């Protein structure tokens, strides 16, 4: 299992994307998951910066509207930067509040996943906590997996799942054949604070064991709102590498 960082964690570092990639390489990650700033430099320059830093691109977060409006452009960027996994990072809570809403969401994501698969790539959906609300037919996340096409994979965010009331280890075990990316984000269950990895309520070691057992390809560190992104980068690399290896 390789380690990556979701670059949203480092958005407040006032440096070029090329310099940020060099920092990530120095920290010891194997790769990066893009979320923003990929248009600040030519793709060739970013690809070279990845190579110079000893990194590869694991995946990228891309808004669903961008995928629906310009799938060809999204795929072109993915090909230029060297990844095949595209992740829808967010859908609004109202898309999970009822069985009918979840079914519509499953259809929407399945249609996109099929189109992405036709281009030789895979679409994933990344959860927050809103997917774990109860509907008349069970937990929305379970319904989403059940009602969606097998073309759609899932990037389970262990911290958000825990915050939403789910057991992230059980999720990984239950949906192993639909998961190749796992987000390691720590949480405090009694607040909205974003603690450093290993200092909150997430059992990082247990999630890492489960991820290894289901042959997860990438363990991806993220902190949505770090006090200091440079410190978060170093801590995340140390804690995650220690847990997964």
């Amino acid at each position: 299992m390789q380690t990556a960082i979701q670059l949203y964690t480092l958005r407040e570092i006032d440096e070029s994307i090329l310099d940020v990639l060099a920092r990530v390489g120095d920290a010891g990650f194997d790769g990066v998951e893009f979320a923003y700033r990929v248009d600040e430099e030519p793709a060739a320059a970013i690809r070279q910066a990845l190579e110079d830093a000893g990194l590869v691109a694991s995946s990228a977060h891309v808004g669903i509207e961008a995928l629906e409006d310009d799938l060809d452009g999204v795929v072109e960027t993915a090909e230029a930067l060297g990844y095949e996994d595209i992740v829808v990072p967010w859908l609004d809570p109202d898309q999970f509040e009822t069985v009918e809403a979840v079914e519509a969401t499953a259809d929407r994501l399945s249609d996109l996943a099929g189109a992405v698969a036709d281009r030789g790539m895979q679409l994933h959906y990344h959860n927050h906590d809103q997917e774990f609300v109860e509907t008349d037919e069970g937990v929305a996340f379970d319904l989403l997996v059940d009602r969606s096409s097998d073309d759609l994979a899932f990037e389970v965010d262990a911290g958000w799942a825990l915050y939403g009331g789910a057991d992230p280890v059980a999720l990984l075990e239950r949906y192993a054949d639909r998961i190749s990316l796992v987000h390691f984000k720590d949480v405090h269950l009694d607040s909205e604070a974003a603690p450093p990895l290993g200092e909150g309520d997430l059992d990082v070691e247990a999630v890492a064991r489960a991820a290894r057992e289901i042959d997860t390809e990438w363990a991806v560190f993220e902190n949505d709102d770090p006090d200091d992104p440079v410190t978060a980068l170093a801590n995340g690399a140390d804690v995650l590498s220690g847990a997964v290896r």
Side-chain angles (χ1 to χ4, degrees), residues 5-218:
I5 183 171
Q6 165 51 251
L7 289 180
Y8 186 74
T9 304
L10 308 180
R11 67 193 180 280
E12 298 297 334
I13 295 179
D14 187 18
E15 296 175 355
S16 75
I17 184 63
L18 306 181
D19 290 335
V20 169
L21 292 174
R23 280 186 180 272
V24 173
D26 289 342
F29 283 101
D30 299 311
V32 298
E33 182 174 66
F34 287 104
Y36 73 118
R37 299 184 66 182
V38 293
D39 58 350
E40 293 182 5
E41 299 284 348
I46 295 177
R47 189 74 177 262
Q48 186 62 55
L50 287 170
E51 183 176 337
D52 291 345
L55 300 167
V56 297
S58 64
S59 46
H61 280 193
V62 181
I64 195 168
E65 292 82 6
L67 282 159
E68 292 173 332
D69 294 344
D70 185 19
L71 181 57
D72 289 340
V74 171
V75 169
E76 181 180 347
T77 298
E79 291 173 340
L81 296 179
Y83 57 85
E84 297 180 350
D85 294 290
I86 299 168
V87 185
V88 174
W90 166 272
L91 288 173
D92 290 336
D94 62 6
Q95 298 187 51
F96 303 97
E97 290 176 346
T98 65
V99 173
E100 293 76 16
V102 175
E103 290 177 338
T105 298
D107 289 344
R108 185 182 186 189
L109 288 169
S110 295
D111 287 346
L112 267 178
V116 170
D118 288 344
R119 289 160 172 80
M121 298 188 177
Q122 182 154 46
L123 187 70
H124 307 248
Y125 179 70
H126 167 275
N127 65 275
H128 285 74
D129 60 329
Q130 61 260 30
E131 295 84 0
F132 298 96
V133 297
E134 286 283 349
T135 73
D136 291 342
E137 296 184 19
V139 175
F141 186 88
D142 296 327
L143 291 178
L144 179 63
V145 178
D146 181 62
R147 308 291 166 90
S148 59
S149 163
D150 287 345
D151 285 333
L152 179 67
F154 290 85
E155 180 178 63
V156 169
D157 187 305
W160 275 122
L162 180 65
Y163 194 79
D167 177 348
V169 169
L171 280 181
L172 297 184
E173 294 171 347
R174 182 173 184 180
Y175 299 119
D177 60 341
R178 304 280 292 272
I179 299 166
S180 60
L181 307 170
V182 176
H183 260 214
F184 285 74
K185 181 204 327 292
D186 218 335
V187 294
H188 288 308
L189 293 177
D190 59 356
S191 77
E192 296 182 358
L197 189 65
E199 298 182 20
D201 292 315
L202 181 69
D203 189 337
V204 177
E205 296 285 345
V207 174
R209 284 195 300 271
R212 281 196 303 271
E213 289 170 1
I214 68 168
D215 295 326
T216 297
E217 295 176 20
W218 286 95

